[in-house]
């Protein structure tokens, strides 16, 4: 049976609203227009709702296998659907790591069995993400790897990174990098700046990230490889990526909602829900990230959704693990803080969550058009409510944004033509 979404509004390229209906058959959008016929169709009433392509998040941690007490593929992808995301890319810092065909095959079977939305699995650059031995890029690509990363740790040896980039380039695949020079971390748990000095705790300097990016950009140029920077966080890093793009080097970069919205000045005390890696930087860094997003230096937004158990985060700023959750709050936070405050247009925000990540990695998703896969989210831009961690589908409740009032809440997410989430109700 065909499904018709009626009475919604779409955004055009001029950031204006226009009324439209969308017809779907199977997993494909078949028609977009006004007053579409609904005979013998299932009808979804979208009156007063914005309709966009499903969001794409190319940096999430689903924790399974090995970390199921933090998150599972099932719970993490339901959280994604609740946040309007229909495509997520799962980082490989699991146990076991998807570093062999057998491990990746097992992961793909679990995704097929339990995921509510599309999951693109990363494979690791090195065996066990240990930084000692490269994986078999060719066989992992054939087994369905999306790209290669050792996210969570930076590749410390330049020679190994260069060889990895050469192998990735030979497979027309990307190297996706967590950029951090371990010799500069100084056992830090927050940014090295005003907050770390006031609290008397070790800080992670900005140069820790920027020097790895600078090194890797030159290696990517030598290897003719697509190089992607994870969760960029410092003004020096933004400057380095901007210079690389001007030089014609194939580099892309992502930024998280929390780095766009918060800086070290917003940390209220030693609350580990404000502990993430990279850490919240200085106000100048936050300003540089917004500028980099607006001028095209930074390509898209990704959440770095990183769930942890409450007891782990209760260990305090210095001992607790890095990371916060983000899938269920990304759009409302960004819409409230950036669009309503006229930092971004709504069209820009939607693009940073849809077509921009798709274009960066040549994915066939992220656009509302006839013939496209029916990945769709319906959003109530007028609804205002507080973020409530007790309502999360994610097992992780670790966010600094709990109880923050936001506008712009997804109310239905459709993945490949099927309702993946609707007002808290899962469709089987």
């Amino acid at each position: 049976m065909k499904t018709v979404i009626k009475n919604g509004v779409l955004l055009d390229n001029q950031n204006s609203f226009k009324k439209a209906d969308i017809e779907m058959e199977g997993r494909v959008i078949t028609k977009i227009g006004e007053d579409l016929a609904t005979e013998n169709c299932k009808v979804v009433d979208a009156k007063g709702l914005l309709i966009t392509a499903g969001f794409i998040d190319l940096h999430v941690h689903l924790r399974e296998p090995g970390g199921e007490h933090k998150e599972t593929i099932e719970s993490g992808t339901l959280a994604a659907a609740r946040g309007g995301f229909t495509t997520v890319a799962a980082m490989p810092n699991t146990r076991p790591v998807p570093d062999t065909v057998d491990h990746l095959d097992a992961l793909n079977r679990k995704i097929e069995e339990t995921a509510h939305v599309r999951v693109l699995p990363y494979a690791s650059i090195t065996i066990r993400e240990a930084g000692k031995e490269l994986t078999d890029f060719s066989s992992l690509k054939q087994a369905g790897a999306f790209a290669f990363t050792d996210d969570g740790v930076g590749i410390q040896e330049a020679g190994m990174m260069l060889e990895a980039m050469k192998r990735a380039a030979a497979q027309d695949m990307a190297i996706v990098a967590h950029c951090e020079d371990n010799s500069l971390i100084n056992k830090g748990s927050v940014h090295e700046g005003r907050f770390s000095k006031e609290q008397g705790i070790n800080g992670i300097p900005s140069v820790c990230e920027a020097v790895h990016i600078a090194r890797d950009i030159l290696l990517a140029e030598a290897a003719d490889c697509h190089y992607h920077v994870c969760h960029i966080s410092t003004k020096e890093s933004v400057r380095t990526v901007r210079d690389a793009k001007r030089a014609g080097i194939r580099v892309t970069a992502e930024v998280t909602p929390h780095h766009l919205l918060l800086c070290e000045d917003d940390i209220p005390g030693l609350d580990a829900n404000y502990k993430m890696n990279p850490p919240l930087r200085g106000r100048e860094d936050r300003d540089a990230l917004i500028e980099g997003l607006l001028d095209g230096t930074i390509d898209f937004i990704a959440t770095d959704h990183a769930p942890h158990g409450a007891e782990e985060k209760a260990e305090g700023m210095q001992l607790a693990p890095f990371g916060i959750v983000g899938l269920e709050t990304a759009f409302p936070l960004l819409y409230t803080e950036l669009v309503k405050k006229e930092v971004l247009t709504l069209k820009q925000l939607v693009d940073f969550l849809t077509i921009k990540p798709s274009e960066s990695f040549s994915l066939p998703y992220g656009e509302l058009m006839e013939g496209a896969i029916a990945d769709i989210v319906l959003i109530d831009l007028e609804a205002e409510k507080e973020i409530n961690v007790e309502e999360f589908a994610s097992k992780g409740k670790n966010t600094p944004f709990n109880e923050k009032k936001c506008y712009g809440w997804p109310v239905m997410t459709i993945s490949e033509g099927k309702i993946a989430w609707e007002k808290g109700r899962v469709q089987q």
Side-chain angles (χ1 to χ4, degrees), residues 53-92:
F55 303 148
I56 298 169
D57 190 346
L58 298 186
H59 191 143
V60 305
H61 298 269
L62 298 180
R63 303 302 189 201
E64 188 176 12
E68 287 85 351
H69 67 289
K70 299 173 187 277
E71 193 79 286
T72 62
I73 292 167
E74 194 279 332
S75 66
T77 56
L78 182 55
R82 192 169 180 268
F85 291 91
T86 54
T87 301
V88 297
M91 288 296 175

Side-chain angles (χ1 to χ4, degrees), residues 250-315:
R250 192 181 176 196
V251 55
T252 54
E254 69 191 39
V255 65
T256 72
H258 47 275
H259 287 110
L260 290 170
L261 303 181
L262 300 174
C263 67
E264 64 172 348
D265 296 342
D266 298 305
I267 306 175
L270 297 178
D271 180 353
N273 283 320
Y274 288 81
K275 181 179 181 180
M276 62 284 290
N277 192 12
L280 297 176
R281 304 287 188 180
R283 187 168 297 277
E284 288 184 356
D285 297 298
R286 177 182 171 273
D287 292 345
L289 295 174
I290 292 173
E291 181 184 352
L293 193 62
L294 289 169
D295 72 14
T297 300
I298 300 171
D299 296 270
F300 59 85
I301 297 170
T303 68
D304 192 11
H305 175 81
H308 293 291
E311 69 288 349
E312 295 168 306
K313 277 296 188 178
E315 293 179 354

Side-chain angles (χ1 to χ4, degrees), residues 191-192 204-211 234-237 281 285:
H191 172 61
E192 185 179 87
I204 303 171
S206 295
V207 71
C208 174
E209 173 181 290
V211 296
T234 78
K235 61 182 185 293
E236 296 88 355
S237 299
R281 304 287 188 180
D285 297 298

Side-chain angles (χ1 to χ4, degrees), residues 170-335:
Q171 298 297 322
D172 194 25
M173 298 279 274
I175 289 290
V176 175
H178 174 110
C179 298
E180 194 170 40
D181 187 316
N182 289 350
S183 69
L184 297 171
I185 294 175
N186 300 328
K187 298 181 179 179
S189 53
V190 295
H191 172 61
E192 185 179 87
R194 181 195 59 77
F195 181 83
S196 66
K197 291 181 176 66
E198 288 179 356
Q199 299 294 331
I201 56 179
N202 288 350
I204 303 171
S206 295
V207 71
C208 174
E209 173 181 290
V211 296
H212 250 208
I213 294 174
R215 179 202 73 175
D216 288 353
I217 282 170
L218 295 174
L219 297 177
E221 182 179 32
D224 194 21
C225 175
H226 175 197
Y227 169 66
H228 179 73
V229 180
C230 290
H231 43 49
I232 193 168
S233 73
T234 78
K235 61 182 185 293
E236 296 88 355
S237 299
V238 173
R239 184 178 71 229
T240 303
V241 171
R242 183 179 289 119
D243 290 344
K245 287 193 170 188
R246 287 172 176 167
I249 300 170
R250 192 181 176 196
V251 55
T252 54
E254 69 191 39
V255 65
T256 72
H258 47 275
H259 287 110
L260 290 170
L261 303 181
L262 300 174
C263 67
E264 64 172 348
D265 296 342
D266 298 305
I267 306 175
L270 297 178
D271 180 353
N273 283 320
Y274 288 81
K275 181 179 181 180
M276 62 284 290
N277 192 12
L280 297 176
R281 304 287 188 180
R283 187 168 297 277
E284 288 184 356
D285 297 298
R286 177 182 171 273
D287 292 345
L289 295 174
I290 292 173
E291 181 184 352
L293 193 62
L294 289 169
D295 72 14
T297 300
I298 300 171
D299 296 270
F300 59 85
I301 297 170
T303 68
D304 192 11
H305 175 81
H308 293 291
E311 69 288 349
E312 295 168 306
K313 277 296 188 178
E315 293 179 354
M317 188 68 88
Q318 291 179 278
L319 297 178
F322 292 100
I324 66 171
V325 293
L327 283 167
E328 294 169 81
T329 59
F331 186 86
L333 282 167
L334 293 165
Y335 177 71

